[in-house]
Amino acid sequence: PEWSHDGHGIAFTRFPSPWWGPSFQSVIDHVDVVGGKTHSLVEDKGAFAFRYAPMRDDYAFMRVRNGDQNNGNAVYVGGHGKAHDATAALARNFNAYAWLPGGKALLLQGEFGTRSALWEQPLEGVARVLDLGDIEPGNELSVSKGGEVAFIGSTTTHPGELYVMASVHAKPRRLTDANAFVDKLDLGRTESVQWKSED
């Protein structure tokens, strides 16, 4: 559920039935807190992960690109009933997103080759992949009102820990040692293998 800025309504993902099969036909509905009829905010089938932009009437949500279940997830941005794929130029699969302060850009998490990455995606402009060094972000993102970013990240030799960035332009800083015991283990080496196929 997602509160509207005026606190008078809540947006939520509605599925057509309790069965898994038609779950890709989900839409985003809105209901007044004091009661009343529910109405659809986003009728595009497969919409989920709805979030209002900070201090703006714009919103974002995820769905498979162009509604095609053979495509990966895209992040759509809209307002007043119209939405467009804000990630079309990247043409990648995204697992998570968050609004950045001011509501004029998104923070995206998705696959980048054999790794995962974060992008800063302006609503108008070209996306920029963030320099995280050897850290691979998971699909849980949180952005503070001041623009600090928090995420769970891992490396090829260390499992998930909590990282924070002062901004999307800063280097990640590890906050936790929840899996410090792993550093005492002799682990196998992980590497990416790339090749060109015939086509």
Side-chain angles (χ1 to χ4, degrees), residues 101-190:
K104 295 183 179 180
L106 298 165
L107 179 66
L108 309 170
Q109 186 274 335
E111 286 80 25
F112 193 12
T114 59
R115 300 181 48 131
S116 64
L118 295 179
W119 286 263
E120 177 188 16
Q121 173 67 69
L123 298 189
E124 297 180 7
V126 179
R128 177 183 67 90
V129 65
L130 305 191
D131 181 6
L132 305 180
D134 63 347
I135 303 164
E136 296 200 35
N139 58 2
E140 298 284 341
L141 305 174
S142 183
V143 179
S144 74
K145 291 181 179 179
E148 296 87 357
V149 176
F151 65 91
I152 303 298
S154 61
T155 69
T156 58
T157 59
H158 194 90
E161 299 285 0
L162 179 61
Y163 288 83
V164 67
M165 300 168 64
S167 73
V168 292
H169 301 285
K171 298 288 185 183
R173 179 170 55 90
R174 188 167 126 183
L175 292 182
T176 64
D177 290 308
N179 291 301
F181 73 95
V182 175
D183 296 335
K184 300 177 182 178
L185 303 178
D186 187 13
L187 300 177
R189 180 170 53 88
T190 301

Side-chain angles (χ1 to χ4, degrees), residues 3-170:
W3 284 95
S4 61
H5 290 308
D6 60 13
H8 294 165
I10 299 174
F12 61 95
T13 304
R14 176 173 59 83
F15 296 93
S17 76
W19 307 107
W20 178 84
S23 62
F24 64 89
Q25 297 179 358
S26 60
V27 295
I28 306 299
D29 279 359
H30 179 275
V31 64
D32 291 333
V33 175
V34 295
K37 293 183 178 180
T38 300
H39 67 275
S40 291
L41 282 178
V42 178
E43 296 182 350
D44 296 325
K45 302 299 184 184
F48 68 101
F50 181 92
R51 296 289 180 266
Y52 284 109
M55 308 308 295
R56 297 175 57 154
D57 292 332
D58 293 340
Y59 55 79
F61 60 91
M62 297 181 70
R63 73 186 288 249
V64 290
R65 184 164 281 111
N66 299 321
D68 184 348
Q69 293 297 312
N70 296 305
N71 284 334
N73 291 326
V75 181
Y76 288 77
V77 172
H80 309 293
K82 297 181 180 180
H84 68 280
D85 181 358
T87 59
L90 286 171
R92 297 182 180 276
N93 176 60
F94 296 98
N95 303 308
Y97 78 95
W99 281 101
L100 291 172
K104 295 183 179 180
L106 298 165
L107 179 66
L108 309 170
Q109 186 274 335
E111 286 80 25
F112 193 12
T114 59
R115 300 181 48 131
S116 64
L118 295 179
W119 286 263
E120 177 188 16
Q121 173 67 69
L123 298 189
E124 297 180 7
V126 179
R128 177 183 67 90
V129 65
L130 305 191
D131 181 6
L132 305 180
D134 63 347
I135 303 164
E136 296 200 35
N139 58 2
E140 298 284 341
L141 305 174
S142 183
V143 179
S144 74
K145 291 181 179 179
E148 296 87 357
V149 176
F151 65 91
I152 303 298
S154 61
T155 69
T156 58
T157 59
H158 194 90
E161 299 285 0
L162 179 61
Y163 288 83
V164 67
M165 300 168 64
S167 73
V168 292
H169 301 285

